[in-house]
Structures are given as C-alpha cells and as structure tokens.
Amino acid sequence: MVEPATATQAAAPVMPQLKDELDIVIPTIRNLDFLEMWRPFFQPYHLIIVQDGDPSKTIKVPPGFDYELYNRNDINKILGPKASCISFKDSACRCFGYMVSKKKYIFTIDDDCFVAKDPSGKAVNALEQHIKNLLCPSTPFFFNTLYDPFREGADFVRGYPFSLREGVPTAVSHGLWLNIPDYDAPTQLVKPLERNTRFVDAVLTIPKGTLFPMCGMNLAFDRELIGPAMYFGLMGDGQPIGRYDDMWAGWCIKVICDHLGLGVKTGLPYIYHSKASNPFVNLRKEYKGIFWQEEIIPFFQQAVLPKDCTTVQKCYVELAKQVKEKLSKVDPYFDKLADAMVTWIKAWDELNPPTAGSVPNGKAA
Amino acid sequence: MSLAIKDDEVDIVIGALRSDLTTFMNEWRPMFSRFHVIIVKDPDLKEELKIPEGFNLDVYGKPDIDQVVGSSTSILFSGYSCRYFGYLVSRKKYIISVDDDCLPARDPKGFLVDAVAQHISNLTNPATPFFFNTLYDPYAEGADFVRGYPFSLRGGVKCALSCGLWLNLADHDAPTQALKARQRNSRYVDAVMTVPARSLIPISGINIAFEREAVGPALVPALRLAGEGKCRWETMEDIWSGLCVKIVCDHLGLGVKTGLPYIWRTDRGDPIASLKKEWEGVKLMEEVIPFFQSVRLPREA
C-alpha cells in the first residue's frame, strides 16, 4: 500500500532554485485544492493556470500563490483565429501555458497529483528533482548501466568512452507516478486494482534513436531548448481522439531532440497519482489512437530531418510537412493536425519573438 | 508468457583467479546447489584450487585448455578470460557467470538476493528493445506496459543476455575509482529494463547470464589488452565481447536486459596501480565505439 506524503514542510529547500526562471503550468477544470499539499515546494514559483471547460466558472486558487489564469475566452482573445490549435475540453490545452510563459523552464503537473513518499518515508520534492535533472547533462549516445552518472554516489562505468562523458544539454525531464499508474484503458479494465508501489531510485537518459511514451502528468522541460515542439495536439471537443496529447508531443520532441543533440531523461521524481479516470470513458477517447499508433510509431521511428533544420521551429514545421505527407492517408485527422502544428508554431513565434542575435538551439546530428 | 527453464539447462561458470574458493562457494551454495557448476582455473594460477564439497561440478585447468584449443591459442583464456573456456565446453542452453570476488547481495529489506533466479527470470521473460517502457520491465509483478505503448510490440522478443549490477565496489574504470577512492555503490535500483535497439552499452562480465545457444559464439575474449592483468580494472575483454553481442542481438532481433540482480563485489586491488595498465583500454574504446556505432551486418547474417 502506497500513500502520499503529508509532512511536506520539512522537505522544502532553504533556497528554491530557479524561482525566477521557472513557471509551473497547471491545467484544471475543477479546483486547485491539491496546491495546498504542494505549497512548501511550489509557493516560491509563479503559476500559470490554464482553465479548461466552461469559462464562466470561477476557479479558486488557494491564497498566497503568485499566478496568472487563462480561460477559453482569454485564449481566444490572445490568439484570435490561431486559437483553433488549442484543444478544448481536454488537458491538452495546457500547452497554451507553455506558449505564454516568459520563463526558461516549465514544470507541468496534473491537479490530481500529490506529493509522494520515498522508501524512507520522506516527502519527495518533485520540482527540485526535475530542476536537478534539467541542470545536469544527459548521455544519449551510450548507455550507462549505473544510470545517471552525475548523481551522487554514481559515475560512468568501465568501458564508457571518455569522449562522451561530458554529455549534452537536457531538454526534458519525465517523471513517474506511484499509486495509479499511467495505463491505457484496456490495461485499466483488465487490471483495475493494480497500483504502482515500486520506487525505482534512478534517473536515466533515453538513448538516441529510441522513442518513448511521454506522460504529461509530471513533466519539466527547458522552454528555450525545446518549447516550440511541446505542442499537445488537437484533442477533446470536436476531435476524434483524446489522451494522446502528451504522447504526440513526446514522439515529436524525441525526434527533434535526437536531431539537435539534446537529451531526454526519465525516472525520478515520483509524484503520487491519486485519481484513476473512468476506463470506459478513456476507452472511447483512446480507441482510435490504439489503432493509429501502430502507424504513427513507425512514422516517427523512420522520420529524418534535413540538416538545415537547425532550430526547433524549423524541425517542427518540417515534421508537420511529413505528417501531412505520410499520415493523412491513415485518417484525415492528421491533415488537420499537421495544419494545427504549423498554426501553433506561428502563434508561438508571435508570442515569443526572437531576441536580437538569437542562435539555433543546437547542432543538427 | 514466460518460458520455464529446467535446472539441467543451466551451467554456472566461474573463472577462478584465486585458489581458495571456500567462502565464495559456501556463500553462493543456496543459489548454486541445484545447478551444474563449471569452474575454470586461470592457467597462470599456480596453487591448487580449494573447493568445498557438495556441488555438482567440473573443474578445468591449463591442461584441459591446452588440449582443447592448443597451447598457442590458450593465451586467450588466461586471467579473467578463463571463464570463456567454460562457455566453450558447456553443453547447456543457459550460462550464468559471476566473478570469483563477488558474493550474494542483500536487498533494501535485508533479504539475500538470489541472483541466479533473477537472471533466469530475466532470460525467460521477453525483452522489449523497440520502444521504451517508462515503467521499466512490463512483465515484472505489479507493472505493465504504459499508455502509448504500441500493442503490436507488447509480445516482446527473446532475451539473449542479462547484465546484472554490483553493490559496494561498482564496475568503474581505474581512473574513476582512483579519483573517488572511497565511493561505494549503495543505491539499489529496483528495476530490470531492456537496453533499446541500436543503443550500445558497456556489458560488464562481473555478473551476467546469457542463452548460449543464441549468442554464445559472440562471447569470445578477442580483445586482449597488452598489459591485461588480474584485476578487473586491467581488462576490457568483457566490454569488447559485450559490444559484439549487442550488435548481433540488434541485428537478429534479440534483447539485452540490464539492472537486477545485484551482487556484492568485495574490495580488491588498487586502482591507482591499475591505471597504468588500463589506460590502453581506455584509449582503445575511443576508436572502438565509433566502429560499433556504424557497423552494419548484411541481411544474410
């Protein structure tokens, strides 16, 4: 039996790192009570709340937090016709928060995620761990069997080439979940009682050339390195699919990170995921995705970006072109999605005009 | 979903670089006693081996090696590489091999880890090299494939090699261990995972298991450092053969796993003294890795 942590104040750091460089983006449709539990860890940071669903509803934010809140009316006002790329009635709308943020780093978390406990019973400061992950290099070109070599008590193992030990910048830190695991609907239906109680004390870099299912429940990234690729797609109201927003973003960012020589980490930190969504509702949202992913994954596995794609935006627009060329035949939805990807980049660039003398994000592989 | 391995399909192969194996064999007795054990004595070791009673075992030494491969080739099997001779003469389907300075570890709850059983479990359950599962081994109890994992890949492929880890003295190279003289690995990471396809990994020979019928021929001690010595810091043979195995597995669609089980590696040797000898290996890796990253095997292989 795994339980969330309650004594979180003790684990709060004396000096919160990056407090003026990181925004916490939270999509919500109900309330933000869960913030009380996170208060010692989150209070020093600025929050961007993206309110999904009925904009006339008032979302109560617990007192003492510094935040900005956007509902659908705000999104429509700010983006105009380009607002069509932001999903409605789906947590995918959170990516609007990434777009309007002015900070270098983003941490996003779902409103049913609480603080986890490590095996010693201590509260896990997930944000602090994500920051550590992002500030430390990744090692995508050769697998280290002792996982993150930069962690205390670890290092590179015998045989690890010295020329690869500097690592590359980390663009994404993907955290995990105790209690309710992130299963798809069929698995949920077959194993309704399964709970994740295994605390795996590791952070590792996902090797170059390997795709993974990125979950948006507990995720942090460097907005300057990879932000424009973190589009969460067209989901929810009026769309044939749901619960594939973070998956789609994960496949896109991995292809682009591999191309630009950036790293993606997975593992710690854990959060405590408290609510299991209704598996029948999930099945209806996901079921097309379950078939489509069989075509989508080979598409991403084989995607090659040309050498002249040296910025994230260029990579993303090229990817959108390939989606239109190769995935439209799977379903006309992908045609719409490819257009939305381009709209997203246009909106991103409008809201985030490049500063003078800005350089490409990385070297094309 | 998993295969069942019978006890008589397994050989435990130990390379003896030290003569007194009493403590070693007694500590491992609960895990080894069901299986046939092959002990290969380092041809350079002069003393007689001391092995306790009660095991089903075969011991091989220099005369046997000379007889099978000829005395000019037998140099290949000296030092840590002596255990490869055990792989050669074994007639079993699976091999489990640990260094003779390793003892059973304890997990965070204090229970002794049955490394043999864990390796067997790793080899009998499928591997998943084509897509990364963020909850690691999907076949472990209490785990599964996560949302977004393609269903067509959930059957997995055969696992040909299982690479375990080490508590206490981790398998660092000499410069690293010399720099961090007091560092000991105390982190027990409770996971087994498949090393993704096309990803290279330094496979340490200290604690491994493999399906001999699938990849045995690739595990040959071909890379011998000129100054190879009797300390793990002075060898690269396992790293070399491990890279070969990974390339072969990627080509044939077989899996390689890493993670559990842990063994406890006792302190031995002086990394600073070994620095001189291993340096050659470190330089070699820089040449060797780009080769392995770009090598492509023909379809007919």
Side-chain angles (χ1 to χ4, degrees):
Chain A
M1 252 316 288
V2 66
E3 273 157 19
T6 42
T8 46
Q9 185 58 56
V14 173
M15 203 45 237
Q17 275 185 294
L18 301 181
K19 71 177 177 68
D20 299 318
E21 294 176 76
L22 183 144
D23 274 339
I24 303 180
V25 172
I26 305 166
T28 188
I29 201 158
R30 18 181 185 235
N31 63 64
L32 294 167
D33 295 346
F34 85 117
L35 280 178
E36 274 310 332
M37 175 167 274
W38 288 99
R39 190 182 282 277
F41 303 149
F42 286 6
Q43 193 153 355
Y45 299 88
H46 180 71
L47 311 181
I48 295 181
I49 298 162
V50 184
Q51 178 185 339
D52 196 16
D54 183 2
S56 65
K57 181 165 174 216
T58 310
I59 301 283
K60 269 198 0 235
V61 184
F65 285 98
D66 170 40
Y67 71 95
E68 53 197 283
L69 187 148
Y70 300 91
N71 61 27
R72 192 72 206 182
N73 295 338
D74 302 313
I75 295 174
N76 289 336
K77 202 158 72 173
I78 293 171
L79 293 184
K82 296 198 185 70
S84 59
C85 73
I86 302 295
S87 304
F88 185 54
K89 293 240 184 94
D90 193 284
S91 64
C93 64
R94 77 176 81 209
C95 62
F96 178 77
Y98 311 158
M99 198 193 272
V100 297
S101 164
K102 298 279 166 271
K103 304 283 171 58
K104 181 160 159 65
Y105 300 98
I106 297 273
F107 169 52
T108 184
I109 185 170
D110 279 11
D111 62 8
D112 60 354
C113 294
F114 297 158
V115 179
K117 277 196 285 206
D118 71 17
S120 73
K122 186 166 162 247
V124 174
N125 184 343
L127 183 49
E128 191 180 46
Q129 182 65 52
H130 275 301
I131 289 172
K132 275 195 192 131
N133 293 350
L134 289 172
L135 294 180
C136 246
S138 295
T139 51
F141 304 121
F142 206 77
F143 194 94
N144 193 44
T145 46
L146 279 186
Y147 315 112
D148 183 355
F150 302 106
R151 270 187 94 191
E152 198 175 311
D155 212 306
F156 292 97
V157 295
R158 178 175 55 99
Y160 203 104
F162 275 80
S163 59
L164 294 179
R165 294 194 187 197
E166 224 178 84
V168 297
T170 303
V172 179
S173 166
H174 176 262
L176 297 175
W177 347 272
L178 290 175
N179 195 44
I180 308 286
D182 188 25
Y183 288 161
D184 52 49
T187 310
Q188 259 186 296
L189 286 163
V190 169
K191 293 178 162 190
L193 298 177
E194 186 149 274
R195 298 290 176 265
N196 186 22
T197 56
R198 183 177 285 116
F199 189 99
V200 178
D201 188 5
V203 181
L204 56 132
T205 300
I206 301 183
K208 176 176 173 175
T210 304
L211 294 177
F212 77 114
M214 184 178 86
C215 174
M217 252 196 273
N218 173 19
L219 184 71
F221 59 93
D222 184 323
R223 214 175 135 270
E224 283 175 16
L225 286 182
I226 198 67
M230 277 289 186
Y231 174 48
F232 271 36
L234 289 174
M235 307 278 147
D237 210 46
Q239 307 299 342
I241 189 175
R243 283 170 56 89
Y244 271 87
D245 50 339
D246 42 6
M247 297 296 136
W248 182 262
W251 299 324
C252 291
I253 60 101
K254 191 56 169 61
V255 168
I256 294 175
C257 282
D258 286 350
H259 177 77
L260 294 176
L262 301 170
V264 174
K265 291 184 180 172
T266 186
L268 302 182
Y270 281 88
I271 48 86
Y272 180 93
H273 186 207
S274 65
K275 275 201 198 70
S277 36
N278 183 303
F280 297 100
V281 171
N282 289 346
L283 187 58
R284 243 185 245 126
K285 290 183 185 173
E286 282 174 15
Y287 95 97
K288 283 212 165 118
I290 287 175
F291 293 96
W292 290 349
Q293 72 193 7
E294 298 296 333
E295 316 262 355
I296 298 172
I297 298 226
F299 161 75
F300 279 106
Q301 282 172 332
Q302 289 151 30
V304 174
L305 297 171
K307 268 200 175 49
D308 60 0
C309 288
T310 50
T311 65
V312 178
Q313 288 91 327
K314 284 200 188 122
C315 289
Y316 202 73
V317 167
E318 170 64 30
L319 211 49
K321 199 171 94 192
Q322 293 184 18
V323 168
K324 204 182 251 275
E325 273 165 20
K326 305 204 174 116
L327 289 179
S328 293
K329 59 181 185 315
V330 175
D331 193 274
Y333 165 76
F334 291 100
D335 205 46
K336 247 177 37 176
L337 180 59
D339 289 339
M341 288 167 74
V342 174
T343 306
W344 158 267
I345 292 293
K346 290 201 175 109
W348 180 284
D349 282 344
E350 249 174 51
L351 260 60
N352 299 283
T355 49
S358 58
V359 290
N361 307 67
K363 305 185 285 293
Chain B
M1 168 107 58
S2 62
L3 322 161
I5 290 187
K6 298 195 284 283
D7 291 355
D8 63 2
E9 289 182 290
V10 177
D11 258 339
I12 300 191
V13 174
I14 307 295
L17 272 75
R18 301 177 304 167
S19 55
D20 189 353
L21 295 178
T22 319
T23 313
F24 175 82
M25 292 300 283
N26 279 331
E27 293 287 322
W28 283 105
R29 190 184 291 273
M31 294 93 183
F32 284 5
S33 57
R34 278 160 57 198
F35 303 98
H36 177 245
V37 180
I38 291 178
I39 297 184
V40 184
K41 184 178 163 195
D42 176 7
D44 299 332
L45 190 61
K46 299 285 173 272
E47 298 88 359
E48 281 296 313
L49 288 182
K50 278 220 304 265
I51 303 168
E53 300 271 323
F55 291 94
N56 169 15
L57 55 79
D58 282 301
V59 184
Y60 297 91
K62 187 165 179 0
D64 307 292
I65 299 176
D66 284 346
Q67 188 180 38
V68 173
V69 300
S71 44
S72 54
T73 320
S74 64
I75 180 73
L76 267 184
F77 298 104
S78 92
Y80 275 101
S81 300
C82 64
R83 58 197 170 95
Y84 290 91
F85 184 76
Y87 305 164
L88 195 62
V89 298
S90 164
R91 289 282 158 269
K92 301 285 165 67
K93 185 158 185 220
Y94 301 96
I95 292 201
I96 298 174
S97 190
V98 297
D99 277 4
D100 68 355
D101 58 357
C102 297
L103 300 173
R106 285 191 187 273
D107 69 18
K109 293 200 176 79
F111 295 117
L112 269 182
V113 173
D114 185 344
V116 175
Q118 181 67 54
H119 273 306
I120 288 176
S121 166
N122 293 350
L123 292 173
T124 50
N125 281 307
T128 50
F130 304 119
F131 205 77
F132 191 88
N133 192 44
T134 47
L135 280 186
Y136 313 111
D137 182 2
Y139 306 102
E141 176 114 15
D144 212 306
F145 291 97
V146 295
R147 175 173 58 97
Y149 203 104
F151 277 81
S152 62
L153 295 179
R154 295 192 187 197
V157 297
K158 175 153 65 171
C159 178
L161 190 134
S162 162
C163 183
L165 295 174
W166 342 269
L167 288 175
N168 193 44
L169 203 64
D171 191 16
H172 295 305
D173 50 51
T176 307
Q177 194 71 61
L179 193 67
K180 295 179 165 185
R182 269 186 288 279
Q183 177 156 301
R184 295 292 179 270
N185 186 24
S186 55
R187 183 176 288 124
Y188 187 98
V189 179
D190 185 11
V192 178
M193 64 189 81
T194 300
V195 183
R198 290 185 320 270
S199 176
L200 291 180
I201 162 180
I203 295 179
S204 163
I206 297 177
N207 171 16
I208 60 168
F210 57 95
E211 190 184 309
R212 202 182 135 273
E213 289 175 9
V215 291
L219 277 158
V220 168
L223 182 73
R224 203 184 163 66
L225 296 180
E228 184 173 296
K230 307 299 181 192
C231 244
R232 258 298 172 206
W233 289 308
E234 296 159 6
T235 69
M236 274 294 180
E237 41 79 14
D238 50 351
I239 306 296
W240 172 270
S241 51
L243 290 169
C244 295
V245 170
K246 185 60 169 57
I247 297 287
V248 166
C249 284
D250 286 349
H251 179 78
L252 295 177
L254 301 171
V256 171
K257 289 185 186 172
T258 185
L260 303 179
Y262 280 88
I263 46 87
W264 177 274
R265 197 159 164 246
T266 53
D267 287 76
R268 197 155 85 90
D270 175 12
I272 295 175
S274 299
L275 262 175
K276 295 183 284 235
K277 296 190 189 171
E278 205 211 18
W279 196 239
E280 187 203 340
V282 164
K283 278 192 293 182
L284 263 171
M285 275 296 125
E286 299 298 330
E287 321 266 338
V288 153
I289 299 303
F291 161 73
F292 278 109
Q293 280 171 330
S294 57
V295 75
R296 296 278 175 270
L297 297 171
R299 215 170 290 237
E300 310 83 58

